[in-house]
Structure formats: C-alpha cells, structure tokens
Amino acid sequence: MTDSMLSISRRGVLVSSAASVAVAKTGPAWSQDKAQGSGSIPSKPVSMTVNGTQHRLDLDTRTTLLDTLREHLKLTGTKKGCDHGQCGACTVIVNGERINSCLSLAVQHDGDEVTTIEGLGSPDDLHPMQTAFVEHDGYQCGYCTPGQICSSVAMLEEIKRGVPSHVTDDLDARMRPTGAEIRERMSGNICRCGAYSNIVAAISQVSEA
C-alpha cells in the first residue's frame, strides 16, 4: 500500500467518523423536536374529594395520586418512600380501602373520596390511632408513620368487614385483630427504624377500645 493510498484511507476514515457523529447527535434531537411539535402533553380534568374538600384539577394523565396530593394539593403528610409500592409510606385511604398512592394514577380516581393523614386528625384533635401511636411510641424518625396510621385504620375496618388474610384460620368465625393478624396485614408497611412491636401495641389498643 502506497503512502498516498494510506493517507486517503485515513482521511476517509476521519470523514466518515465525523459524519457518523454528526448524524448521531442531530438524529435524536430532530426526532425529539418533531415529537414535541406534533402535540402537547396529554391532560385530563379530574375531580376528587380529599379530606372532605372537593378539588377539580387539570392533570397530566401520567401524574400519580401521590404526586397529585403532594405537589398539587400540598398535602405533604403522605410520604414518597420507594416510589415502587414496596414500603407503604405513601398509603392513603380511597373509598374506604387502603392503597399505595405511588402506584395509582390520579385519573383513575375521578369522583373518588381520598383520606390522607391530614384528614384523620389534627394536632388539636387526634384520631384514636394517632393518639395510640404517640402513647406507645409507635414511631421514631416518623417518616413511615403517616402511611402506617392510614394503613392500620383501614386494616381494622377490613377485619370488621370479615376480609380474611393469609393467616386467618377459620373463615366462618368472627375475625379478630390478633397479633398475628395485625402483623400479617401490616406487612406491606415497612418501618426502617424497627418500631414494629410498638406499632402492634398501638393498633391493639385501638382495636380493643
């Protein structure tokens, strides 16, 4: 191979490489610009009653119920923990059922009634479950506490309605909030400080009352 042929070969490689880089940089940007110009972010009006107050919102259809509560309604008592439905810090009560609000889209709850920790009680008028958590020191850092309390309130209602759990022995007998039932039903709410025994004690006190 002559020097001239080697030189052309190198020049060709450099030119083709530069062209490839230019295409790689401009291609996605062009596609993104085209996609942005073809339409706006989808939104939908949503109406829901939160803690007794009706709210009408125009939301991005991808907005979770958790972000709606925290970012749009400024109800920051509901916490964002794992954002994957694994820790229970975002638990709220919807139409009487406890759910992980990070896994639920706000548009799914048009017309629903939502209760957050702010709707259960206030510093001057605590819910019995909140009082029990204070008395039994059912929290340490407090981050998971709102979800723990919302979950425990709805959980006791499940037992009253006769909803069985994995550890329910007799489906025909009256269900009772035993320690095993409470631990099984609250297993989706993680306390990283490890205050589980105190949480069970608080729930047991309310259930007995």
Side-chain angles (χ1 to χ4, degrees), residues 47-112:
S47 175
M48 64 178 67
T49 301
V50 182
N51 300 331
T53 301
Q54 188 173 23
H55 297 274
R56 291 181 175 85
L57 304 165
D58 191 42
L59 298 172
D60 182 333
T61 55
R62 300 165 295 181
T63 305
T64 64
L65 178 59
L66 172 59
D67 286 338
T68 299
L69 296 172
R70 289 182 57 83
E71 306 300 332
H72 294 269
L73 300 182
K74 306 306 177 184
L75 296 171
T76 55
T78 305
K79 302 305 181 185
K80 178 176 285 194
C82 65
D83 214 22
H84 287 80
Q86 297 175 349
C87 72
C90 68
T91 304
V92 297
I93 304 171
V94 178
N95 298 333
E97 302 284 345
R98 51 181 175 153
I99 69 167
N100 291 326
S101 58
C102 73
L103 295 182
S104 187
L105 295 175
V107 293
Q108 296 176 265
H109 300 288
D110 188 34
D112 286 350

Side-chain angles (χ1 to χ4, degrees), residues 167-185:
V167 299
T168 303
D169 293 328
D170 189 350
L171 299 181
D172 295 325
R174 178 186 176 187
M175 294 184 186
R176 305 184 64 83
T178 62
E181 284 282 1
I182 292 173
R183 287 181 174 85
E184 169 64 23
R185 294 171 187 265

Side-chain angles (χ1 to χ4, degrees), residues 7-194:
S7 176
I8 293 173
S9 177
R10 288 175 177 173
R11 187 179 298 111
V13 169
L14 292 175
V15 170
S16 61
S17 299
S20 299
V21 172
V23 170
K25 288 185 176 181
T26 59
W30 177 85
S31 300
Q32 184 177 4
D33 292 340
K34 182 178 180 181
Q36 292 177 348
S38 62
S40 59
I41 297 175
S43 63
K44 182 179 179 180
V46 178
S47 175
M48 64 178 67
T49 301
V50 182
N51 300 331
T53 301
Q54 188 173 23
H55 297 274
R56 291 181 175 85
L57 304 165
D58 191 42
L59 298 172
D60 182 333
T61 55
R62 300 165 295 181
T63 305
T64 64
L65 178 59
L66 172 59
D67 286 338
T68 299
L69 296 172
R70 289 182 57 83
E71 306 300 332
H72 294 269
L73 300 182
K74 306 306 177 184
L75 296 171
T76 55
T78 305
K79 302 305 181 185
K80 178 176 285 194
C82 65
D83 214 22
H84 287 80
Q86 297 175 349
C87 72
C90 68
T91 304
V92 297
I93 304 171
V94 178
N95 298 333
E97 302 284 345
R98 51 181 175 153
I99 69 167
N100 291 326
S101 58
C102 73
L103 295 182
S104 187
L105 295 175
V107 293
Q108 296 176 265
H109 300 288
D110 188 34
D112 286 350
E113 293 187 7
V114 181
T115 302
T116 69
I117 190 65
E118 292 91 345
L120 287 179
S122 65
D124 297 327
D125 184 21
L126 294 176
H127 185 280
M129 190 65 74
Q130 292 173 312
T131 300
F133 265 67
V134 173
E135 291 179 356
H136 290 275
D137 195 19
Y139 57 89
Q140 290 186 30
C141 77
Y143 195 85
C144 74
T145 306
Q148 297 275 3
I149 292 176
C150 285
S151 185
S152 58
V153 168
M155 180 269 295
L156 290 182
E157 292 299 321
E158 292 171 3
I159 293 178
K160 286 183 181 179
R161 295 197 307 268
V163 179
S165 76
H166 181 69
V167 299
T168 303
D169 293 328
D170 189 350
L171 299 181
D172 295 325
R174 178 186 176 187
M175 294 184 186
R176 305 184 64 83
T178 62
E181 284 282 1
I182 292 173
R183 287 181 174 85
E184 169 64 23
R185 294 171 187 265
M186 293 293 294
S187 60
N189 290 83
I190 296 174
C191 174
R192 292 179 173 85
C193 298

